[in-house]
Amino acid sequence: MSEERSFEELQKELEDVVARLERGDVAVDDAIALFRRGEELYRACVERLQSAELRIEELTPSEPRGDGA
Amino acid sequence: MKIEPVLYGERKVYTVSAFNQGVSRYLGRLPAVWVEGEVTELRRNEAWATVFVVLKDPKTGATLKVTIARRAFDRLELGLEEGETVHVQGRAELYEARGELGLRATTIERIGLGEHLIALERLKRKLAAEGLFAAERKRRLPRLPRAVGVLTGADAAARGDLVATIGRRLPSAKVVVCETRVQGRGAPVAIVNALRALAGHAEVDVVVLARGGGSFEDLLPFSDEAVVRAVAASPVPVVSAVGHEQDTPLCDLAADVRAATPTAAGALVVPDERELRAALDESRRRLRLAVSGLVQRDAERLGRLADRLRNAPRLLLERRRVALDHTGARLQALSPRATLGRGYAIVRARGEALREAAMVAPGDSLEIELASGGLGARVEDVRP
């Protein structure tokens, strides 16, 4: 599961997977694959929430360059 | 009191005090006027009954001393600073002890505000005409930003409220803070640079402009054209939490979302972790329920197949047995024993079944097999 994908993309896919399974028009092999995918997505989402504490980074803007601003 | 000159022969001579007094009286007959000028000096002291102000004509550099009663000045609550342009109402006055001309003020009004307001309104119309504030330009905020960018002044309260709200709602959040100059000269450039730096940060998915309340002038940089344009052009969504509810700096209009306070902004930019987890858990519950429903449905179908499969050999066997029995019966019918049963007998000599009389001679012994039991016999005569 790539780091590039945003949380909402992952959560959206999870919801789509659930909706497909709930419709029930999938073969059992596909259902198992979808289920695995769903569990994977769930874990990926929860992982994004796992972090001990608020991280704060201080940023100092670089001096404006002569870009006409 | 009459001002009398001293006479030196023909010459009328006034003392300094008398002269000043005379001029002062003359000036006192002049009407009250309004004077406009830039405040170049302001001296106010709790111990003094008078506040001293020096006004300057920005065009010529001419100056005028203005005095106003401290109590009157304090009642105006201007928070006046040097460099501001004001209207002063008062009368000409001579400070007799020094012979200095001044203006005795009764009231002072700041006029910069009016000009600012007009300029602001003009800018607002111009930017609105360009579509900078259009509703369709507004972007949705990310549900879970990798990091929240915070642009703030040295304003501990606004920053503190915002960061605390973010931390409470989403303990795993990351905040990137850029502290910059937010008021006074140079603030617009600083804000634009800070905004660019934040929006350019690899993880920042949303930026909050967090600036607590302040006077109209203090908030002016957030209505600066360059700042407003930078907000509109920001590659990531911007939440404007500038000033108080009643203030509407132009950056509020250009931002994707406006928050009344830094705390409200905090609630907008990050989700509540508990709610998020609850939603995820609900998704997983439904996922499991759905898949187990499907599996159960298929398992039942499979179970029925298995039953049929298990029963199949037994059925087959039975069918075979019936067929076998049938064949057995037919075989039975062909058996020699069945023939013996009808009264036939098998005669053997020397172990061989006899088919011709000539195979034996009188006196040979014979074995006769019957349906039940057998006989030993001897040949008496042969009739070929």
Side-chain angles (χ1 to χ4, degrees):
Chain A
M1 207 146 307
S2 85
E3 267 299 306
E4 270 70 59
R5 299 191 63 199
S6 75
F7 180 86
E8 45 253 85
E9 282 172 331
L10 297 176
Q11 199 185 6
K12 175 76 171 53
E13 192 186 335
L14 172 59
E15 284 162 5
D16 289 348
V17 163
V18 171
R20 274 195 67 189
L21 280 176
E22 284 181 338
R23 273 205 308 279
D25 54 357
V26 281
V28 76
D29 279 350
D30 293 342
I32 299 294
L34 276 172
F35 170 70
R36 289 216 175 104
R37 179 73 186 146
E39 287 279 328
E40 212 172 272
L41 287 163
Y42 170 83
R43 273 196 306 278
C45 284
V46 169
E47 243 166 56
R48 297 276 175 108
L49 301 177
Q50 311 284 21
S51 174
E53 60 190 57
L54 187 70
R55 291 157 297 158
I56 298 181
E57 179 184 326
E58 301 283 344
L59 186 68
T60 312
S62 53
E63 282 305 305
R65 286 186 309 193
D67 53 2
Chain B
M1 190 178 91
K2 203 156 182 286
I3 297 161
E4 302 284 357
V6 180
L7 291 173
Y8 284 77
E10 293 292 296
R11 188 179 290 172
K12 284 187 197 170
V13 178
Y14 294 90
T15 61
V16 170
S17 297
F19 173 80
N20 284 358
Q21 223 176 348
V23 173
S24 175
R25 277 190 197 174
Y26 181 77
L27 290 176
R29 289 202 292 274
L30 292 175
V33 292
W34 283 98
V35 178
E36 179 179 314
E38 199 180 294
V39 176
T40 55
E41 208 182 306
L42 177 73
R43 286 184 297 142
R44 181 190 167 283
N45 189 313
E46 295 290 340
W48 303 340
T50 300
V51 174
F52 300 89
V53 178
V54 176
L55 284 189
K56 188 178 87 178
D57 187 320
K59 288 201 185 79
T60 65
T63 60
L64 172 67
K65 295 191 176 191
V66 177
T67 58
I68 182 169
R70 185 168 58 81
R71 295 174 71 179
F73 181 82
D74 288 352
R75 264 200 306 276
L76 294 170
E77 290 181 351
L78 289 171
L80 204 58
E81 280 180 42
E82 290 171 4
E84 293 194 81
T85 304
V86 291
H87 280 177
V88 179
Q89 188 182 37
R91 289 168 181 276
E93 181 192 58
L94 193 78
Y95 179 43
E96 290 176 30
R98 288 172 186 259
E100 280 175 0
L101 178 73
L103 185 71
R104 181 66 182 178
T106 48
T107 190
I108 299 176
E109 284 179 10
R110 176 187 276 118
I111 67 146
L113 217 60
E115 284 174 352
H116 280 314
L117 278 172
I118 292 163
L120 213 58
E121 194 53 39
R122 199 177 296 137
L123 178 61
K124 183 174 165 180
R125 276 201 301 272
K126 174 178 139 188
L127 297 178
E130 283 182 34
L132 240 62
F133 308 147
E136 58 269 23
R137 282 185 53 103
K138 308 292 181 202
R139 288 164 290 189
R140 221 171 46 81
L141 301 182
R143 204 180 299 177
L144 185 75
R146 285 167 296 167
V148 177
V150 175
L151 190 155
T152 176
D155 180 357
R159 173 185 168 155
D161 287 352
L162 177 60
V163 172
T165 306
I166 290 174
R168 196 171 53 246
R169 288 174 62 83
L170 186 73
S172 60
K174 176 170 180 181
V175 177
V176 178
V177 179
C178 187
E179 205 174 291
T180 187
R181 189 168 180 180
V182 291
Q183 69 187 66
R185 231 174 262 278
V189 173
I191 294 170
V192 168
N193 284 329
L195 185 57
R196 276 199 198 139
L198 284 170
H201 187 283
E203 288 176 296
V204 168
D205 288 330
V206 61
V207 172
V208 180
L209 307 179
R211 165 78 169 94
S215 71
F216 176 81
E217 287 92 332
D218 289 348
L219 298 181
L220 273 177
F222 287 94
S223 290
D224 182 273
E225 181 166 356
V227 170
V228 178
R229 287 191 185 280
V231 167
S234 165
V236 300
V238 176
V239 175
S240 176
V242 176
H244 291 308
E245 188 79 63
Q246 72 275 10
D247 304 315
T248 309
L250 297 186
C251 68
D252 268 13
L253 304 176
D256 296 282
V257 180
R258 187 200 169 193
T261 61
T263 304
L268 283 170
V269 292
V270 294
D272 188 284
E273 190 191 299
R274 280 163 304 180
E275 283 171 22
L276 211 55
R277 277 183 189 273
L280 286 173
D281 287 344
E282 173 63 13
S283 283
R284 184 168 63 164
R285 195 186 63 78
R286 284 168 53 196
L287 177 73
R288 292 184 168 176
L289 198 67
V291 83
S292 69
L294 278 179
V295 167
Q296 195 174 334
R297 188 191 71 187
D298 283 293
E300 279 164 12
R301 193 179 291 163
L302 203 62
R304 283 194 297 275
L305 277 176
D307 281 349
R308 286 167 62 194
L309 189 65
R310 262 196 302 279
N311 286 334
R314 196 170 48 80
L315 288 173
L316 192 68
L317 219 59
E318 236 153 58
R319 210 176 300 143
R320 286 266 168 84
R321 189 178 305 133
V322 169
L324 205 61
D325 285 354
H326 190 65
T327 313
R330 285 168 59 205
L331 199 65
Q332 204 65 42
L334 293 173
S335 157
R337 288 199 179 280
T339 310
L340 296 185
R342 294 203 293 277
Y344 294 86
I346 300 167
V347 181
R348 292 189 183 85
R350 294 174 298 273
E352 195 179 349
L354 294 186
R355 280 178 290 280
E356 292 170 32
M359 286 173 75
V360 291
D364 286 354
S365 59
L366 301 172
E367 289 292 328
I368 302 169
E369 190 182 340
L370 302 173
S372 175
L375 303 168
R378 199 170 293 280
V379 179
E380 296 215 332
D381 68 314
V382 178
R383 295 180 284 255

